[in-house]
Each structure stands twice: as C-alpha cells, then as structure tokens.
Amino acid sequence: MILSLAILWLAMSIIAQGLAAPNFSQNVSICPGYTLENVRETNSGLTASLSLAGPACNAFGTDISNLTIDVTYESTSRLHVNIYDSAEKQFRIPEEVISRPPSPSVSFINSSDLAFNYDPSPFAFWITRRSEPGAAPLFDTRIQSLPPAPVTPLTPNGTVINLDGFPLVFEDQFLQLTSALPFNTNIYGLGEAVASSGFRRDVGTGPTGGTVQTMWARNIADPIDGNMYGSHPFYLEHRFNSTTGTSQSHGVFLMSSAGSDILLLTPSKSNVSLIQYRIIGGILDFYFFAGPTPQSVVEQYGALIGLPAWVPAWGFGFHLCRWGYSDINETMAQVRNMRAADIPLEVMWNDIDLYHALRDFTSDPINFPAEEVRSFIQELALNDQKCLENHHLSKANCSHLDFFLDIAIVDAALPKQINTSDLYNPYIKGAELDVFMRNPDGSEYIGQVWPGYTVFPDWFRNTTQRWWTEALQNWSLSGIEYSGIWLDMNEIASFCTGSCGTGADLSNTSVPHIFPGNPGNPVVDYPECYDPLIWGPSGNLTINGTLTFGCNNFTTTAPSPSLTKRGGGGGDIDVNSPPYAIHNGFGPLSNMTLATNATHGGGVVELDVHNMWGMMEEKATHLALQQIHPGKRPFIIARSTFPSTGKWAGHWLGDNFSRWQYLRFSISGVLQFQMFQIPLVGADACGFYGNTDEELCSRWMQLAAFTPFYRNHNERGAISQEPYRWDSVANATRTAIATRYSLLPYWYSLFANSSTTGTPPVRALFFEFPDEPELFAIDTQFLIGRDILVTPVLTPNVSTVDGILPGRGQVIWRDFYTHAIVSPTNDNSTVALSAPLGHINVHIRDGSILLLHAQPAYTIEKTRQGPFSLLCSLAANGQAFGSAYIDDGISDPPGENTTITFSVGDNTLHIGAVGSFNVSQVVESITVLGVTKQPESVSIQGENNTSWEFLPDLQKLVMNVTVDMNAPQVIQWM
C-alpha cells in the first residue's frame, strides 16, 4: 500500500529543482556522433570500436570518446547488439543478478532471420529480416530515416518534449539513441504502465499525442500515464502488410537498469513515427527478437531473461485480504463468513495489521498473538479446512483435509534499533552482518517508512541472503507459518528525502500521514456515477427499489495527470541530480524513495540499480522459501518488478482504485505482464482505494476469476467488500469461481507451458489472430490460451455487452455455459451479447478439447481430487485437439508428471498419455459439440456404450463414461 496523500511530497520536488549545470550544453543537435573503426568479424558476429566523430558536445554529461560495439548472433531468432564504453566504467547488470544464456557454440550468422547492417560514418545501424529483404527495417537509427530535426516541440499528454536532433549520444550521465518506426505502428509493452491509450501504446498519432514512458520505480497508486512500480524496457511491434494481408511481430529489449525516458512520438507531417531512448547511465545493451508471431517473440524474450517460476496449484484459488482486519478474531470471522456463504476461499492474507509496531517479521501480541494464530490453524483443520504441514499438526493429520493457507506481508524497510533495550533481532543481526545500505561516507542509510526510521537490505552484499533467509525462517517458527510471502513497498519506498534518520530522534516512530479511515482522513470516494450524498454509504445497487446509478453520459476515460519534470543539477558526475531530467512523477529521483547516492556493496550506487531493487528482493525471498519449505514451490506476489522477476515471483497490479475505468485498465495490465514473462498477475478485485459498490464489485469479481491471480483486497476505512456482503456479488462470485475451478486443468497446463517454453497463458486477441487489424487495439476482451474468449462488462447500468468474434467468420465460437453457437450480428464480426448482472460471457473456440474438473469444490485440493470431464468443440471439418499437463501441483522442482493428449477426427476421440505420474481420477463425462447428426452407436475401446444423449439443436453429444487416462483410449460414435 502507499499513502493516498503521497502527492504532498511533490512540493519537495519543486523546492529541490535547480537549474542545469552551465558546463553542460543541453543541446544534442551539436553532438558529433561516432565513427566505426577496426571492424573484426568473429564466428558469432563482429566487434569494432567507435570513436567520437568530432568535438564533444557534453550535452548532459561528459562525452565518452572511445566505445566498443559487439554484435552477436545468439540464435536463429535473437540478435545481441551491445554498445559500451571501452574502459568499462559504466554500470552494466551483473550476470549474478540476471543470468544470460551462454555464448553460442555454433555460428548463427547465416541462419539467423535477423541481419545487422551499419554505416561507418556517422555510425548508424539498422536491423532487417533476411526473409523479407525488401521490407522496412525492424530498427533503424540512420539520420536519413528519421524526421528532419529540430522538431517543433511535441506535447504527449501535456508534457513538452523537444527533439533537437537524433545523433548517437554516449555520455557518462546521458545516452540517446533513436530509431524510425513505421507510421502509426502497433507497439505493446514498455511498462509498467496504466496507459490512457490502453494495451496498444500511442506512438503519437492517437489522442494523447504520444508516449513518455519513464523507467524509474515509484511508490504511487496506479497513476495514469506516469511511471509506477516496475520497469520493463521491452516492447513488441506488430506490423501488418496491407498488400499481402499478413503480419509479423518482432521484439526489442534494452538490458538496462538505469533511469530513462522512452519516447514514442510522431512529429507533425512526418511519414514515420519514432522511438527514442534517453538514459541517464549504463550502456546500450540491446537484444532483438525475430518472432515472427507475437507468441514467439514473448517466448524468445523469456529464453533470454528466464522463464516463469512454477506456481503451486493452490495459488490459482481465490485469495482474500484487507488492510484493516484489526485482530485475529476479525480475520477468523471472514473465513467463517465465506464458508457460511459457500463462497470458496483458498488463501487468507494478512496486511500490516498483523505486525507489532508495524515491524516486519513480528505479530501484534495483543491483536494477533502467535498462540491464537496457531489455534486458528488448528480450528481450521478440525473444521475440515486444510492445515499447514507444520510443527503442531502432523502430515498424517493434514493429508485428508482441504487447503487453507496464509500469505503474510513483508515490507521492504526494517525499523532501525531505537536503543539497546530495543531487542529487534532482524535489525541487530543484520547490523552485525553488515547487510544494510549505507551513505557515501559509510554510515548507515536511514529512511522513514511505516515503523518510523528504517534501514534497507542491500542485496549486493554476500551476507544478505543468509540473514534474509534466517529472518523469514524465525518468523515462521514463531507461529506465523505462512504458505507464501507478499512483498510490498519494494520500489523501494521511503517517506522522506535522503538519510533523514541520521542524527534524528529515533524514538519518534510517527510517520507524516494519517492512516485512511482515521479521523482527518475519511475514505469518501465511490465509483463513477454513485453519489453517497444521495444514496448513502452502503454501495448498494438499489435503495428502496431505485437504481443508484446516476450518470447521464458515462465514460471510462479520465483526464490524465500532467507529469512533473525533474530539475537538473551540477557537477561532473552528479549522482543526486543527473543533468538530464527524466520525467519522474515525483520530480527529483530521490523523492519518496532512497537517495540516488545511497551505496550498495562493491561501491554500487542506488542511481544505477534503483529499478532492480524489488526484483533482487524477490529473488532473495524465492531462494529463502526454497530452504524454508524444501521441495515445495515458493509462492510470492510482489509489487515492484523488473526483467526476470517472473523467475522468482508473481505480481499484483498495485494500488488501484474502485472505479470502472480501473476495471478496464486491469485487462491491459494483465496483458502487459504476460509479455514481461510474469504471467501470475491480477488486480485487486473491486478496487483497493476508495469505496466500491455492489455493481462494480459484482462485475469485477467475475472478471478477476478469469485472470491468473485472483484476490479481493481494499484499504482501511473503506466500506467492506468481501464477496458475501451483497447477495448479487455472492451469487456472481460463486458462479465465477465454479467456472474458474472447472477450468483449473486448462489453467495449470497453460502455466506449465509458460514455465517450460515462455508461452503466455493470457493473450490479446491478435496473438491468436495476427492478420486481423481490427483486433490490434482490442483490450476489452482477451483470450485464455487459444481456446477461451472472455468478454466482460466494463461499464455500469447495462445488461448487454458488445464484443468481437475473432476469425472473421471462419472460426466457430460456442457459449461455454450453454454450448450454443454464437454468430456475429454484422459483417464486422461484432456481436451484442446478453450480460445481466451476475453473468460474464465466455466462449470456447472450435477445434479445441478441454479437460475440466467435473465437480468444482470448495478448495483447490478437493477439486483436484474429484473426477474429470472432457469438452470437445469440433471445427467445421469435425476435428479438434487438446492436451493437459498433470502433476502433484506442489513439488519444486516439478517431479513426475504426465501429459495427456486428446484428438478427434472421423467421429473418433483418441486419448493418449505420456509420463510417469499416475492420474487416479477418471473422466466421468465427455461432451462433443459439433456432431451434425445423431449417432447410431457409441463405443469405448470397441465395447458398446449405451449411456449417452444427443441434443440435435446444439449438435451436442453427451456420454457418461468411466475412462482411465493413464492408458490409451478410443471412443467412437457412428
């Protein structure tokens, strides 16, 4: 969570702004660029030197005269172009932090679909496809390919951007590189972002006038068009050839942790758009991915940065949390109320209410005493909810029960020891092992967060991992026997500027804010079109029979906040205020976070690694949980992310708002993180900040059930929003969870594919239908895998929703619930779908076979123990195919497993299994859709089966069976 009053700190940014240092020209138009020399071809590419081509311009730093460029064809689809200072003094991400694939052992120079081309003077390069020699380059830095400069200032979302020139600039504090893009091309990625343009980024031809994507991790409640928690300098471009009617995708990744602005712009009267990188440190370390499909681009990116961690099966259940459960009794009441309402609850979370004095690794001895927490777990066991395999209940006692799990929060900052009588062991031990960040003079860096004055772990020190593991282990042994960890505030957040605790009164544990819900800070916001002054604070859909919706014209588009430009500083190398001002929303880079001159082990400064802090904490936590829970998959949800986070953790979409527009934004957020190889992602259902209402919560609980991570969570002082609070929300949630749990074999298989090949589980429509331009901007619908289409309601006071059926009439879409064929209502493949409150439209694609849980139960474990069913949706040619991956759902690394394949052709279903995991559950029913005439007979393994039914109106054959999937099976209907 963050402070809703965080905007107050912006005043500090204004005070801190200064004029740029006079010894820097701030004029890139006079920068000379570089000349390529001493080219040496290698078995994997080439290496050469780059020399400054004229007098230094020193625009926002000191020009580096001598550079090196290494070009490596790393595979048939990945090309690495690395431009760095020959002296190697600039920061680069160490291999120990993000491991990269080994150097190629064979040459891919002639077999790669990507080709590196260059002009030596002035040096420029462009990337082309060998398979399309006449096509426009994928990346093109040549001056002649770019618009004439200088360009009249552009104002994306009101931010003034000057484009003075496009030379290659490589300085100690500023790097610039610009590439031409096709006019109005399709760009996706460059996050984390809540973009007003949606999932497809605005390249300057849309209503927002372009994109300024700032990479600087920031502790801020989901801002529109501003930098936020994560930094992902990766994009996918999708190009459509109107002549051939076909498309191809490629990807570009900058391996850099430096703060930066990445601009997507289209100057007036220009026939090209452009992307420009403005970076305040590091090197130009680029990777290009050939694709050529959207899915393969994402897979190729994953092969570089690392594939997602395996998710325990229980992680796909429903999670419940609230900031403001005051004690263990209130937490227990939620579990009992959910059970009484028969709404499945898999995991109960604890927010910072759990802590003693808001300190990590503690529990409040009054409100959350450890012994009562233990008793709570035991009570759950006695009530047939799963106990943890822990120190108080044996494995034998737990084995027959359902799951009940607990996730505990860990904030990024730890309290500084107040005095010698303050026996807070995590700090005492950490200080002994020297694991905390320091000031430049070697003293302890002391910031300010929830518990007062705080210190911050330094992940670059070799003692930190052992200390972190021990702190988490001791916490579990104390009674907080968590099943997973929630990492919050790890952008990293600090409520003051600089090492504000140095010399301060450490006994002052207050923080400069009032908690929401306390006197002086009431929570008064409601969703659009709900007026509590008229309708009261209930959030009910109707009051005295009258609808509480009150808008004449509803729109989900809100004005975007303007961005604050940070002032420049002076000095040769100004760690505190680099001369180029990236567009950080909090102004100066040190506002609301660690000072950029804070130091890490090895002399690394925070300026260079700020964006990686959260990812490094996630990695350390994952490794710790592997020791604490050996043999079990770690489950971690984190807020700040960076490339490779997916190897260690999942992500929730941060502190969103109980607004309809944020319901829609949640889809774009989920789609973004599929690209970033962090597929375990979801939004706080019903919204975090502000009060929700019955209608919004109903729609959101339905939508969230079809996203990978499913959690309801809101702030202190807001009205309660657990799904049992309104009957309509309870009904909608029960239905949605039953559908989600029936689809668990499908979800689980998609995530197995993600962890082995990087294939995204959730997909934008154009990922599966890349040659249909009408889908390129769609972010109000999405696909789960290739076979499930979800069309949610995203606006209030409606009972229908418009959607598009991909495939242009060549694909048959059937209603998942009724199995009826749904046809477009016009030539544009659009359809108006009935969507009364409580119903979310889900459709199944033809040619697919889904393995389902036949009896969704209260928990994941009980559901997994039940029988299966098969749903076959035949294509027009009578064929269909599907597969399912099955294992024990928990082992780390995954152990025995079985992959089952299903195929239909010529009225015959074949089932085959490969693997050593025994699937004890049987298939008890098989439904085949698209059977055009009533069969005369049905047989299983050649034996006649009489237990079947044919529904001609739905072309639906339903067979009651008992099929063992461990052996080959043949089912026929004739």
Side-chain angles (χ1 to χ4, degrees):
M1 71 196 62
I2 61 113
L3 301 178
S4 58
L5 299 179
I7 195 68
L8 295 177
W9 273 271
L10 286 178
M12 300 165 61
S13 71
I14 298 172
I15 296 171
Q17 289 183 30
L19 299 176
N23 53 321
F24 297 133
S25 69
Q26 300 189 66
N27 184 4
V28 297
S29 68
I30 62 173
C31 294
Y34 287 82
T35 300
L36 186 75
E37 302 169 324
N38 305 318
V39 177
R40 181 173 64 86
E41 294 186 356
T42 68
N43 186 55
S44 58
L46 65 84
T47 185
S49 58
L50 290 167
S51 301
L52 203 62
C57 65
N58 298 329
F60 296 97
T62 302
D63 287 83
I64 297 176
S65 299
N66 299 308
L67 308 177
T68 299
I69 179 170
D70 292 332
V71 177
T72 307
Y73 290 85
E74 295 191 346
S75 73
T76 57
S77 58
R78 186 173 73 238
L79 175 63
H80 186 191
V81 178
N82 189 11
I83 303 173
Y84 57 93
D85 56 309
S86 301
E88 298 191 34
K89 293 183 178 180
Q90 294 284 102
F91 180 81
R92 61 178 67 188
I93 298 174
E95 286 271 353
E96 314 86 80
V97 177
I98 301 179
S99 61
R100 269 81 93 188
S103 299
S105 57
V106 298
S107 177
F108 293 101
I109 294 176
N110 296 318
S111 59
S112 173
D113 191 35
L114 299 176
F116 176 82
N117 312 274
Y118 65 89
D119 284 335
S121 182
F123 169 71
F125 72 93
W126 62 103
I127 309 298
T128 55
R129 285 191 192 275
R130 285 196 173 93
S131 59
E132 289 191 318
L138 307 185
F139 198 84
D140 189 353
T141 69
R142 292 172 292 182
I143 297 297
Q144 61 266 32
S145 300
L146 294 161
V151 172
T152 302
L154 303 176
T155 56
N157 278 317
T159 304
V160 178
I161 297 294
N162 294 303
L163 297 172
D164 298 325
F166 304 118
L168 169 62
V169 181
F170 201 118
E171 299 173 344
D172 54 2
Q173 297 184 90
F174 181 73
L175 294 79
Q176 177 179 288
L177 185 72
T178 313
S179 170
L181 298 171
F183 181 82
N184 197 28
T185 191
N186 303 294
I187 297 287
Y188 308 88
L190 297 178
E192 181 179 5
V194 176
S196 55
S197 61
F199 180 48
R200 184 173 65 175
R201 307 308 301 270
D202 183 3
V203 297
T205 59
T208 61
T211 297
V212 179
Q213 184 61 55
T214 297
M215 301 293 175
W216 190 254
R218 183 164 68 121
N219 166 32
I220 181 67
D222 291 10
I224 300 174
D225 294 323
N227 59 305
M228 48 192 301
Y229 317 112
S231 298
H232 295 273
F234 165 72
Y235 73 85
L236 179 151
E237 183 182 350
H238 189 65
R239 296 186 180 180
F240 178 72
N241 186 322
S242 58
T243 301
T244 63
T246 60
S247 298
Q248 292 197 100
S249 293
H250 66 274
V252 180
F253 171 50
L254 173 63
M255 175 75 83
S256 174
S257 58
S260 63
D261 284 340
I262 302 179
L263 312 177
L264 296 171
L265 301 168
T266 303
S268 175
K269 299 181 181 179
S270 173
N271 62 354
V272 297
S273 301
L274 60 85
I275 182 169
Q276 183 174 86
Y277 296 84
R278 298 178 177 182
I279 314 164
I280 58 174
I283 61 176
L284 295 171
D285 192 4
F286 280 97
Y287 291 85
F288 300 92
F289 308 98
T293 66
Q295 177 174 306
S296 60
V297 170
V298 175
E299 292 169 345
Q300 291 156 15
Y301 178 55
L304 173 69
I305 64 167
L307 300 177
W310 287 78
V311 179
W314 58 261
F316 295 104
F318 174 62
H319 303 243
L320 182 61
C321 185
R322 170 141 201 199
W323 181 23
Y325 290 148
S326 59
D327 56 33
I328 185 65
N329 292 322
E330 190 172 1
T331 304
M332 293 168 64
Q334 306 313 315
V335 176
R336 293 168 183 153
N337 292 341
M338 291 288 287
R339 174 66 90 169
D342 195 29
I343 301 174
L345 172 62
E346 188 73 14
V347 189
M348 194 73 203
W349 291 49
N350 285 296
D351 211 311
I352 60 173
D353 315 280
L354 169 71
Y355 291 156
H356 176 49
L358 299 174
R359 293 180 165 196
D360 279 353
F361 310 122
T362 66
S363 63
D364 188 312
I366 304 299
N367 297 317
F368 289 91
E371 290 305 317
E372 291 193 25
V373 173
R374 289 192 179 106
S375 297
F376 181 31
I377 294 172
Q378 293 174 350
E379 178 187 337
L380 291 166
L382 294 173
N383 283 284
D384 198 33
Q385 288 195 270
K386 182 188 180 287
C387 57
L388 300 178
E389 221 174 280
N390 57 45
H391 308 286
H392 311 287
L393 295 170
S394 70
K395 182 175 182 179
N397 288 334
C398 290
S399 61
H400 70 287
L401 302 174
D402 291 350
F403 275 90
F404 179 81
L405 302 116
D406 176 73
I407 303 292
I409 190 170
V410 175
D411 277 343
L414 277 75
K416 164 74 173 174
Q417 186 180 25
I418 296 173
N419 51 53
T420 56
S421 64
D422 179 19
L423 301 180
Y424 178 59
N425 188 67
Y427 173 81
I428 295 171
K429 188 63 178 291
E432 289 176 359
L433 294 174
D434 189 21
V435 304
F436 300 125
M437 293 180 60
R438 296 195 168 275
N439 292 306
D441 63 3
S443 61
E444 206 169 52
Y445 185 99
I446 305 173
Q448 189 180 41
V449 195
W450 301 118
Y453 291 112
T454 55
V455 293
F456 304 90
D458 178 3
W459 309 113
F460 284 91
R461 297 185 186 274
N462 57 19
T463 54
T464 308
Q465 180 67 58
R466 175 164 61 92
W467 163 80
W468 189 248
T469 302
E470 181 180 302
L472 285 164
Q473 175 77 74
N474 290 341
W475 197 27
S476 180
L477 293 174
S478 75
I480 310 302
E481 294 162 338
Y482 49 80
S483 306
I485 291 294
W486 172 19
L487 297 174
D488 197 8
M489 309 286 285
N490 60 346
E491 292 70 36
I492 180 172
S494 181
F495 299 156
C496 65
T497 300
S499 189
C500 58
T502 302
D505 176 10
L506 297 179
S507 64
N508 178 10
T509 58
S510 63
V511 288
H513 71 278
I514 304 172
F515 272 17
N518 286 359
N521 189 16
V523 177
V524 297
D525 292 333
Y526 280 80
E528 305 94 322
C529 308
Y530 182 95
D531 187 348
L533 297 179
I534 298 175
W535 304 115
S538 69
N540 290 349
L541 180 65
T542 62
I543 293 177
N544 296 326
T546 303
L547 283 174
T548 54
F549 176 82
C551 286
N552 293 324
N553 296 299
F554 176 78
T555 176
T556 60
T557 303
S560 302
S562 61
L563 304 178
T564 302
K565 182 174 180 180
R566 182 182 61 80
D572 294 330
I573 299 178
D574 193 333
V575 174
N576 291 317
S577 294
Y580 174 74
I582 66 173
H583 290 79
N584 179 32
F586 281 153
L589 300 183
S590 298
N591 273 9
M592 293 290 289
T593 187
L594 302 187
T596 49
N597 69 351
T599 59
H600 298 261
V604 175
V605 294
E606 175 69 6
L607 176 69
D608 288 326
V609 299
H610 170 78
N611 288 330
M612 295 196 303
W613 200 100
M615 179 273 291
M616 295 182 73
E617 183 194 36
E618 289 138 24
K619 180 178 180 179
T621 306
H622 186 102
L623 297 176
L625 293 187
Q626 286 182 312
Q627 292 189 48
I628 296 168
H629 301 147
K632 295 184 178 180
R633 298 171 197 173
F635 184 86
I636 302 167
I637 296 294
R639 194 167 72 174
S640 183
T641 60
F642 191 73
S644 83
T645 280
K647 289 178 64 175
W648 317 113
H651 173 64
W652 95 101
L653 294 172
D655 295 343
N656 61 2
F657 295 84
S658 296
R659 310 280 290 181
W660 287 92
Q661 66 175 151
Y662 278 85
L663 174 64
R664 177 171 179 168
F665 285 145
S666 70
I667 299 176
S668 296
V670 169
L671 293 175
Q672 268 187 43
F673 278 88
Q674 306 305 299
M675 292 178 50
F676 300 151
Q677 290 291 344
I678 310 173
L680 183 62
V681 62
D684 279 346
C686 305
F688 176 74
Y689 273 122
N691 301 291
T692 192
D693 67 22
E694 180 180 2
E695 184 180 11
L696 175 61
C697 198
S698 177
R699 296 298 192 187
W700 210 326
M701 287 298 295
Q702 293 172 281
L703 169 57
F706 293 89
T707 63
F709 176 55
Y710 186 19
R711 182 181 78 164
N712 180 311
H713 175 222
N714 69 323
E715 70 168 327
R716 292 176 90 253
I719 65 174
S720 298
Q721 63 182 41
E722 295 85 5
Y724 63 81
R725 297 286 179 175
W726 297 278
D727 288 343
S728 67
V729 179
N731 290 331
T733 303
R734 279 189 288 266
T735 301
I737 292 180
T739 305
R740 178 184 179 87
Y741 284 15
S742 72
L743 283 166
L744 281 175
Y746 184 61
W747 274 115
Y748 195 73
S749 300
L750 290 172
F751 269 77
N753 291 337
S754 180
S755 296
T756 52
T757 65
T759 307
V762 180
R763 302 166 197 172
L765 271 54
F766 80 91
F767 269 52
E768 288 294 325
F769 300 89
D771 300 330
E772 301 180 17
E774 63 270 23
L775 304 180
F776 295 170
I778 296 294
D779 54 16
T780 54
Q781 297 172 268
F782 58 93
L783 290 161
I784 304 173
R786 69 176 296 279
D787 297 327
I788 296 294
L789 174 66
V790 182
T791 308
V793 170
L794 303 173
T795 56
N797 197 35
V798 298
S799 58
T800 62
V801 61
D802 292 333
I804 191 167
L805 298 176
R808 293 180 169 176
Q810 302 304 304
V811 174
I812 302 169
W813 292 99
R814 295 181 170 97
D815 188 294
F816 181 81
Y817 310 104
T818 68
H819 299 158
I821 292 175
V822 180
S823 301
T825 53
N826 55 45
D827 293 337
N828 297 324
S829 298
T830 57
V831 61
L833 300 167
S834 176
L837 191 67
H839 178 72
I840 182 170
N841 277 278
V842 181
H843 294 89
I844 181 172
R845 183 178 181 174
D846 68 0
S848 63
I849 302 177
L850 302 183
L851 181 67
L852 305 172
H853 285 307
Q855 298 173 10
Y858 193 79
T859 64
I860 299 294
E861 182 66 11
K862 275 292 182 67
T863 299
R864 281 170 58 92
Q865 291 172 7
F868 291 107
S869 64
L870 271 182
L871 178 60
C872 309
S873 179
L874 303 185
N877 62 5
Q879 296 180 355
F881 178 83
S883 65
Y885 171 94
I886 302 177
D887 65 11
D888 66 7
I890 193 69
S891 294
D892 180 44
E896 293 183 343
N897 61 82
T898 293
T899 297
I900 305 171
T901 57
F902 313 94
S903 63
V904 172
D906 296 326
N907 299 332
T908 304
L909 167 65
H910 292 271
I911 301 176
V914 176
S916 56
F917 184 81
N918 180 65
V919 182
S920 59
Q921 298 85 354
V922 299
V923 175
E924 70 174 17
S925 69
I926 299 173
T927 299
V928 184
L929 307 177
V931 179
T932 55
K933 66 177 182 178
Q934 179 164 333
E936 295 182 1
S937 65
V938 172
S939 65
I940 301 175
Q941 299 294 78
E943 298 291 330
N944 186 48
N945 178 285
T946 59
S947 183
W948 56 273
E949 180 185 12
F950 182 70
L951 288 74
D953 291 345
L954 294 174
Q955 299 183 341
K956 176 177 175 178
L957 173 64
V958 181
M959 296 170 270
N960 296 319
V961 298
T962 302
V963 172
D964 178 1
M965 292 190 294
N966 295 292
Q969 302 283 348
V970 178
I971 296 94
Q972 289 183 303
W973 51 97
M974 305 299 292

